[in-house]
Amino acid sequence: MYHTALLYRISWSLNVLRQSGRKQPPEIVSYIRSMYACLQNVAPGWANYPLLNDTFYREAPSRKSCLSFVDRIVDVSSAKGETAGLSGDSGYYTVKSGSTTVIVDGGVPCPAHLPAHAHNDIGNIVLWIDEDPVITDTGVYDYQPGDRRDYARSVTAHNTVQIGENDQTVT
């Protein structure tokens, strides 16, 4: 969700430059291509982005509308088919086989400087068959302290494992 919102807004800014006759900065265009490739590969076909961590729908443009918009603003032909951003530093790993797509969250529970964003989701999976979500994460639906927020960040709310009675992290 955050990635989609940022990609859309930066591309919108590049569109303003283009429409006013100014040159699009090549460094920014290069980042846009990488971001496009990541968003393109984070889900199959035209399925929306996965609900991971603090993600929810209707806060950012849909994955389909964002990709279509960026495709009209920036030449992303070199980004199509890339797999940028879905392994290594991102902590997300995608496996595709036939009509099945799985994303595994193998990253750290939160950035070191944002412990309030920790989720007990190490090993969390999201599964699509074709473009239909079969196993999905709950995302987050409450930012107020309390039982609902605690649940949304718990192992129970994520498609992962729990050993014993403890969550993976202290939230």
Side-chain angles (χ1 to χ4, degrees):
M1 176 188 76
Y2 295 114
H3 182 94
T4 304
L6 184 60
L7 176 57
Y8 186 89
R9 290 174 185 176
I10 294 171
S11 298
W12 186 85
S13 298
L14 289 178
N15 190 40
V16 170
L17 289 175
R18 185 183 67 166
Q19 288 183 354
S20 65
R22 294 190 171 95
K23 185 179 176 189
Q24 296 177 341
E27 302 85 11
I28 303 298
V29 171
S30 177
Y31 283 115
I32 291 297
R33 287 184 180 126
S34 293
M35 292 176 73
Y36 180 96
C38 179
L39 186 60
Q40 180 184 31
N41 289 291
V42 77
W46 288 116
N48 211 347
Y49 47 79
L51 294 173
L52 297 166
N53 298 319
D54 288 345
T55 301
F56 54 98
Y57 296 135
R58 295 185 297 271
E59 179 67 21
S62 71
R63 182 173 158 265
K64 180 179 181 176
S65 66
C66 183
L67 290 171
S68 296
F69 179 72
V70 175
D71 201 13
R72 291 191 308 269
I73 305 306
V74 176
D75 177 12
V76 292
S77 58
S78 63
K80 293 180 178 178
E82 288 184 23
T83 57
L86 293 179
S87 61
D89 292 342
S90 75
Y92 294 106
Y93 302 89
T94 301
V95 178
K96 295 181 181 184
S97 177
S99 64
T100 303
T101 303
V102 176
I103 293 180
V104 179
D105 184 347
V108 296
C110 66
H113 64 283
L114 289 173
H117 285 266
H119 288 253
N120 292 284
D121 62 352
I122 300 168
N124 180 28
I125 65 165
V126 177
L127 167 77
W128 291 271
I129 297 179
D130 295 319
E131 295 180 20
D132 299 318
V134 176
I135 299 175
T136 188
D137 195 290
T138 62
V140 161
Y141 47 84
D142 197 345
Y143 286 94
Q144 299 302 316
D147 292 341
R148 285 172 50 105
R149 174 89 172 132
D150 291 344
Y151 170 77
R153 297 170 68 195
S154 73
V155 169
T156 306
H158 299 286
N159 303 313
T160 189
V161 297
Q162 179 174 353
I163 299 173
E165 295 183 21
N166 298 318
D167 277 338
Q168 296 173 349
T169 62
V170 177
T171 55

